[in-house]
Each structure stands twice: as structure tokens, then as C-alpha cells.
Amino acid sequence: MSSLDKVISWIDATREQSIEKMARLIRQPSVSSTGEGVEECAGILVEMLTEVGLDAKVMPTKGLPAVYAERIVPGTPTVIFYGHYDVQPVGDLDLWETPPFEPDIRNGRMYGRGTGDNKGQLLTHIIAVDAFIKNCGELPCSVKFLLDGEEESGSINLAPFVEENKELLKADVCYFADGPIHYTGRPQVLFGCRGIIDVEIVLEENIRDCHSGHYGALIPNPAWRMVHLLKTMKDEDGKVLVEGFYDKVRPMTPAEEEVIKAIPFDVEGYFQGVRFPGTGPQWDPVEALKAHMFQPTMTIAGLASGHTGEGMATIVPAKAVCKIDMRLVADQDPEEIFELIEKHVAKHLPEAKVLRHGKMYPSRTELELPISKAIIGAVESAWGVKPIVVPSSGASCPEYVFTDILDIPTISVPYANPDENNHAPNENFDLDLFIQGIRTTAHVMDTIAKHKDW
Ligand SMILES: [Zn+2]
């Protein structure tokens, strides 16, 4: 029996203990938006990591703490596991079938806040480590853990933390599990995500709303002026007109273009439940995926001015506000994009103020790297089925701290069920997939240990 086989049998044999470990983490609230239970949860993780044989500690950041752990096996490559132990607020308690912090098992799933996103998923790596040490006496490769306590609040302190601890966090590859498997039931391997910059344009022109008959002809109307400004920012085909916006967009590689064609994408199903039939363009699946992964967006998230309530109000509004978020792709820099927006607004509507809210950099790891191919292979051997290779997620996460600050390939393989209800009531994690996640991490560690071509 190979060491990996021994490890896999042990993972299957200790299923109940693993499930109990997940329940222990779920019982401890850790809501970063309020801070509830976060420090306590960090403490439990340090205990769990120490129990399996790692050097673990809570590390302060400028906000909520991070958890760090390591076990170095001299002469072996190092994988750093990223995960986040904070959770979303629970929302409306009436919508939960069982209380969010009292883990409940039904239909082969564990229900509770943080099961899928992300405590259950990060736990798979801890259990895989345990499996190797218990069955082989030592790990096949060196491991580090960086567990974020603020991901659900935008990970605002993660980049400075990683910057300050570059030496400590040094690794050959970063691996993490977050989000769901593909809706077809196949695993997916992701190589990046989009970045984001969130801005607000505020135009205050009049001291108060004014009578449109007495003032309409003579004073400026901030609503119209905002509309005119917005028209200079994006055309009707969706192209952003802000000068320099697309300058740094990294072109698709032939390998990326190739894998996109192999991604199953049910266009009808995607739009169902969100779009009225017949509205908007009819997308070709491949073009849709390209837009989703490789094109930046500029989205009006909110637009407000004057009277939008019931009945009429004949006024010239005092002010207009527009909130815009832009999803960015490699190698766009949110700071630079913000400056371009500022410059654009200064030119077209100098009276408007541009405020900045959240930002995150995009991240992308090359599919063609030997380690990328090796991890795709590891996932295939764990599942017995070819994984779907996804060059980039359309959403944003703090992956760039690994690809850009630590300068290492970063690959994620989501383990949760597609209906995990993350960020929603009745969040859950399918227990078979949870165990399959542990097996997958074990395969990945085994592959990393044997990989030579770094
Ligand atoms: Zn989340």
C-alpha cells in the first residue's frame, strides 16, 4: 500500500471524527463585520492546528487577527494553505431552519453558518495534514497555513500583513478551497479572479431642491449633468470610454482560450431567474465566458437624485449621486484606474467629487506552469474525472497577496456543493463532498511533494 493509499483509507475511516471537528468550528460564531466570536474562533483553530502537529499561533493584524501555522520538512517544497475563518452575518434568523451556530446534520449535509464558506473547507487541509502525520510519520511536503479573520469584510488588512511577513510566509505554491464545485458535479480548478474598485460620484449643485417652474430654466440640474457625465464613461455597446481604461488588460493566452471552449456553460440556465426573456443580448457561451473572465466591467450599482417616490414633485434636485464598481482583470491596477476616473470626471464634470471605497487587485496564475498542470492532475486522480479548468473567476478575492506580493502560483479548488447557500440562510456543506475535499487536499500534497519542475 502506498503512503497516499494509507492516508486515503484513514480519511475514510475517520469520517465521523472529521465531521465532529467541523461541528466544533461551526458552534463558535466568528462574524467579522461585528467581531462576534472571532478571537475565540482563532483560538480554537490554533488548538486544532497544534493538535495535529503544527506550530500555530494567532497573529495580530491592524484589524482582526490572522492564524498562522507551519510544519517544515527540510528539503521539501512548501505549500501555503489559505482560508478564512470569519463568516458572514446570519441575516434573518426566521429564515434558518435550524440556528446558524448549532450545526445540524440532515440530508447528508451539515447546516450552519461557515460550513461551506469557509470553515468546513479550510478544515479539509488541517485533516489532510493530520492524515499524513498519523499514517506516514511525517508530511510529504512542508506546509504553512494563513487563515484570514476578515475575508468577509474585504480582507483590508491582509495585504499589509503579508507584506510585513513575506519571509515567514515564503512558499512555492498557494492552494485554497472556497466556493462550490461546478454545477455539472465535476470539480473545477481556478487560476485567478478579477479585482475591483468601487467609486462614488457626488454632484451637489444647489443648496436645496427648487421649484422647477421658478428655477428650472436658470439653475443647473445635477441629475441631467450626472447623466451627461455617465454617457461619456461608457457607450451603448458596453465599451468603457475612460481614457486608458483597457491599456493594461492582459491578453488571453492560447492555453486560456483553449480551456474556455471546454467549460460547460448553460447560457439559458444562467439567465433564468434574473433576466426577463427577450431582454439584453443573446450570448454565445464561449463569448460569455470570455467576457466574464477576461473583460473588465463598469457597473452602475446605484443612481439617485431628486424625487423618485410616489406621485409628482416638480423640482430641480439639489444633488445627484452615482455609485460605480469596476471588476478589473490582470494586469489592471485599481489605484491607477481610480486616478483615470478622477481625471475623466475632472475633465467632464469638474464640480463633481469622486470618492473611493473598496479595492482589490486582480490575480491570475498561468495554466501552462508545470505546477498548474500537476495540480490539475492531482484533482483528476482524486476524483477519477477530468476537472474543469477555469482561468479566472468573475468575482474578486484576495488572491493577489499570494500572486503579486509573495509572487507564487496560486490555485484554488472549491469543495462545496453548488447549493451551499453561502452568504444566505441555511448555509450547508455536503458531507460526502467535505470528505472528498480532504482526499483531494491529500492528493494535492502528495503531488506537490513529488513535483520537481518548479
Ligand atoms: Zn464568503
Side-chain angles (χ1 to χ4, degrees), residues 84 88 117 151-152 423:
H84 68 89
Q88 281 280 318
D117 187 10
E151 199 266 358
E152 299 295 7
H423 297 210

Side-chain angles (χ1 to χ4, degrees), residues 170-373:
K170 221 171 153 200
D172 296 293
V173 59
C174 172
Y175 181 84
F176 66 97
D178 199 0
I181 60 169
H182 196 259
Y183 71 87
T184 53
R186 281 165 64 192
Q188 43 184 350
V189 186
L190 284 93
F191 289 85
C193 63
R194 290 197 287 192
I196 190 167
I197 176 89
D198 199 86
V199 305
E200 178 175 348
I201 304 172
V202 181
L203 179 62
E204 259 175 302
E205 299 234 86
N206 305 316
I207 294 162
R208 55 176 175 81
D209 292 349
C210 300
H211 188 291
S212 66
H214 295 164
Y215 289 94
L218 304 176
I219 63 171
N221 185 316
W224 271 118
R225 299 193 75 208
M226 182 65 80
V227 169
H228 289 139
L229 170 71
L230 296 173
K231 203 163 159 36
T232 65
M233 294 175 77
K234 193 173 167 183
D235 72 14
E236 285 180 30
D237 299 323
K239 190 173 174 243
V240 175
L241 303 173
V242 173
E243 215 184 305
F245 186 77
Y246 294 102
D247 283 3
K248 295 241 170 120
V249 171
R250 193 195 296 179
M252 238 182 290
T253 66
E256 287 165 342
E257 195 136 6
E258 217 34 57
V259 298
I260 278 206
K261 291 183 196 148
I263 301 176
F265 184 52
D266 165 19
V267 178
E268 294 287 308
Y270 176 82
F271 289 117
Q272 223 172 44
V274 244
R275 215 181 65 175
F276 292 117
T279 58
Q282 299 305 306
W283 282 94
D284 161 78
V286 174
E287 290 309 310
L289 285 170
K290 281 184 188 169
H292 187 64
M293 294 178 196
F294 295 98
Q295 281 302 312
T297 62
M298 176 183 277
T299 308
I300 294 179
L303 186 56
S305 182
H307 177 76
T308 56
E310 249 178 82
M312 62 191 274
T314 46
I315 55 159
V316 178
K319 124 187 211 191
V321 181
C322 181
K323 294 211 179 202
I324 295 177
D325 70 67
M326 286 155 274
R327 296 281 174 177
L328 309 177
V329 298
D331 297 310
Q332 287 178 302
D333 178 332
E335 296 284 344
E336 284 173 22
I337 295 293
F338 180 74
E339 279 169 28
L340 295 178
I341 299 288
E342 266 188 329
K343 233 166 128 186
H344 184 92
V345 173
K347 181 172 163 196
H348 293 271
L349 188 54
E351 297 83 359
K353 274 191 254 151
V354 186
L355 313 173
R356 178 167 59 178
H357 298 297
K359 69 155 191 208
M360 228 175 242
Y361 287 79
S363 167
R364 204 170 312 148
T365 291
E366 277 178 50
L367 303 176
E368 292 290 88
L369 296 175
I371 187 62
S372 302
K373 293 180 180 170

